[in-house]
Amino acid sequence: QLQLQESGPGLVKPSETLSLTCTVPDDSMRSSGYFWGWIRQPPGKGLEWIASIYYNGATHYNPSLKSRVAISIDTSKNQFSLTLSSLTAADTAVYYCARDCISSGPWYFDLWGRGTLVTVSS
Amino acid sequence: DIQMTQSPSSLPASVGDRLTITCRASQSINNNLNWYQHKPGQAPKLLIYAASTLQSGVPSRFSGSGSGTDFTLTISSLQPEDFATYFCQQSFNAFRTFGQGTKVDI
């Protein structure tokens, strides 16, 4: 089954910057019908949307994280990336990337990755 | 941000049961509500979008209803492969928010 693939370090130290990359298995990244997003789930908690990016570089950010987050896209590599700075233990979570279908009507995340666990600890 | 309140958080069930999960938005979101299924170690799977539209390939025992602030996900006859966590998500605006999830287990 088609799915996205997250990659990045499993362990990062407090105050450092996390960098994650999501690889898209087809050419849909060049389509105008999708945004590309990052979502996380801390242990025992619900899902939290972090940020989304369009193929042309347009972005949306969660206001609560905006000062620490940057999302970027490289359509030539079929990848988009997330950086999250000034990490604390509260950033420990499973991080998911997802494709956000916007082609018609209400938007929805129609394709996800399995997620990657990121632990913030010294 | 729009708060999504999902209930129950846990739902003991048996094969063949009819289940209903509810999701309430803190403001009207029209029909901008999606439902997902999530199993441990797997990618979340879209079940229902636009409140009631079944995603391609999803069995017809899954259905969604509602509009405005109150929504439901129904599984008409629970199958063994349906034991999972289900969560709702609103897409009324760019700031997406999710329900806390409902774990369906034995």
Side-chain angles (χ1 to χ4, degrees):
Chain A
Q1 182 180 353
L2 203 63
Q3 65 183 30
L4 307 182
Q5 180 65 58
E6 304 90 350
S7 59
L11 179 65
V12 288
K13 291 181 168 54
S15 79
E16 292 188 343
T17 295
L18 170 68
S19 293
L20 296 173
T21 297
C22 181
T23 301
V24 179
D26 60 14
D27 289 333
S28 60
M29 178 161 278
R30 298 175 183 78
S31 166
S32 60
Y34 304 102
F35 262 79
W36 303 90
W38 288 97
I39 299 124
R40 70 180 183 178
Q41 185 170 30
K45 297 186 178 182
L47 291 155
E48 178 182 39
W49 169 76
I50 302 170
S52 293
I53 191 165
Y54 201 41
Y55 76 102
N56 65 0
T59 57
H60 297 300
Y61 290 102
N62 184 323
S64 69
L65 296 168
K66 187 175 183 178
S67 64
R68 299 194 292 130
V69 170
I71 189 171
S72 59
I73 193 166
D74 187 339
T75 56
S76 68
K77 294 182 179 180
N78 281 0
Q79 292 180 333
F80 63 105
S81 299
L82 179 79
T83 62
L84 178 63
S85 62
S86 303
L87 293 171
T88 70
D91 295 310
T92 294
V94 176
Y95 286 76
Y96 298 93
C97 59
R99 187 174 74 179
D100 195 356
C101 183
I102 64 167
S103 56
S104 63
W107 297 5
Y108 48 87
F109 294 110
D110 69 336
L111 197 60
W112 295 65
R114 290 181 178 231
T116 185
L117 175 63
V118 175
T119 301
V120 180
S121 175
S122 55
Chain B
D1 55 328
I2 299 173
Q3 304 296 321
M4 305 302 296
T5 303
Q6 192 175 333
S7 62
S9 58
S10 178
L11 189 52
S14 301
V15 173
D17 284 354
R18 179 183 179 87
L19 300 187
T20 298
I21 299 169
T22 65
C23 188
R24 173 167 288 178
S26 59
Q27 68 178 70
S28 176
I29 57 171
N30 299 328
N31 69 333
N32 295 282
L33 192 284
N34 309 312
W35 290 98
Y36 303 85
Q37 178 192 67
H38 192 199
K39 297 179 181 178
Q42 297 186 18
K45 176 184 176 182
L46 175 68
L47 298 176
I48 304 276
Y49 63 93
S52 61
T53 303
L54 198 66
Q55 170 71 340
S56 176
V58 174
S60 59
R61 63 181 179 273
F62 292 93
S63 64
S65 65
S67 183
T69 60
D70 294 313
F71 303 86
T72 60
L73 172 70
T74 300
I75 308 174
S76 60
S77 179
L78 195 69
Q79 297 303 299
E81 60 269 30
D82 300 337
F83 289 95
T85 297
Y86 295 85
F87 56 91
C88 60
Q89 174 249 325
Q90 65 80 18
S91 57
F92 181 74
N93 56 32
F95 185 179
R96 315 305 178 83
T97 49
F98 296 84
Q100 288 294 101
T102 296
K103 186 175 181 180
V104 176
D105 54 15
I106 299 174

